[in-house]
Amino acid sequence: MRFFIIIFILFFSTKIFSIENNQLISEKDLHYLFENNQKKWNETLIFLDKKKSLSKINGSNDVYFLKSYFNYGYVIIMPHFKNNNIYKILFTYKFDKFDDEISDIFFNHYMYSFNKFCSKVSRNKLYLNIEIKRCN
């Protein structure tokens, strides 16, 4: 059930351009997401696929990815598994209009908010890519 709450917090904000750090994923949320195995993840996405603003995408190696729409674009969440455990999660945000202010909010949050997770953030004209792994 907590997984659903995390998904709703993350992706149902219709004010993505006024987003603050407290509306983005927390370290506690990441711990929960990384506890999923492949079967649990896929089963959850099959259920969420029935929602209008969410859809599952066939990913690689029989893993579904989650695509969530918001007013100004969408995000795709792509877990990567090793030995049936998530070892990294990729978030790809696509914005209809992407500016430095929103980029800075995401960059600062994902680069400096976690103690046990390491992040890489990259950006191009319309996309923001975030890779999160457990730190060694």
Side-chain angles (χ1 to χ4, degrees):
M1 184 62 170
R2 181 162 158 68
F3 179 76
F4 299 118
I5 294 169
I6 293 168
I7 295 298
F8 292 122
I9 290 170
L10 283 174
F11 307 111
F12 286 117
S13 173
T14 58
K15 298 180 181 179
I16 192 75
F17 288 105
S18 63
I19 199 161
E20 309 235 354
N21 283 353
N22 63 359
Q23 294 174 309
L24 295 172
I25 195 166
S26 71
E27 187 160 14
K28 187 175 181 180
D29 297 334
L30 285 173
H31 281 289
Y32 181 77
L33 289 174
F34 273 83
E35 289 175 3
N36 282 286
N37 61 37
Q38 186 172 337
K39 181 180 177 187
K40 184 176 173 184
W41 174 266
N42 282 339
E43 287 173 351
T44 302
L45 265 56
I46 289 170
F47 173 78
L48 291 174
D49 191 38
K50 298 173 185 171
K51 306 291 182 189
K52 283 185 177 181
S53 63
L54 300 171
S55 64
K56 68 177 175 59
I57 299 171
N58 290 332
S60 58
N61 299 324
D62 299 322
V63 175
Y64 295 128
F65 298 157
L66 177 65
K67 185 174 187 178
S68 177
Y69 301 90
F70 50 86
N71 284 350
Y72 305 105
Y74 62 83
V75 61
I76 300 174
I77 304 171
M78 300 167 278
H80 292 264
F81 292 86
K82 189 182 289 183
N83 298 325
N84 203 30
N85 295 310
I86 294 176
Y87 75 95
K88 74 178 174 180
I89 300 176
L90 301 175
F91 297 89
T92 297
Y93 289 88
K94 194 276 185 187
F95 300 93
D96 296 336
K97 181 181 175 191
F98 193 36
D99 60 28
D100 289 336
E101 182 180 352
I102 193 72
S103 179
D104 291 345
I105 290 170
F106 276 76
F107 181 82
N108 289 329
H109 177 75
Y110 283 104
M111 292 304 293
Y112 304 115
S113 295
F114 310 126
N115 294 317
K116 296 187 178 186
F117 294 93
C118 297
S119 304
K120 291 181 187 175
V121 179
S122 61
R123 169 188 178 180
N124 69 21
K125 203 173 204 177
L126 295 176
Y127 293 93
L128 180 67
N129 296 302
I130 301 161
E131 176 184 298
I132 300 176
K133 293 181 178 181
R134 291 185 193 266
C135 296
N136 294 336

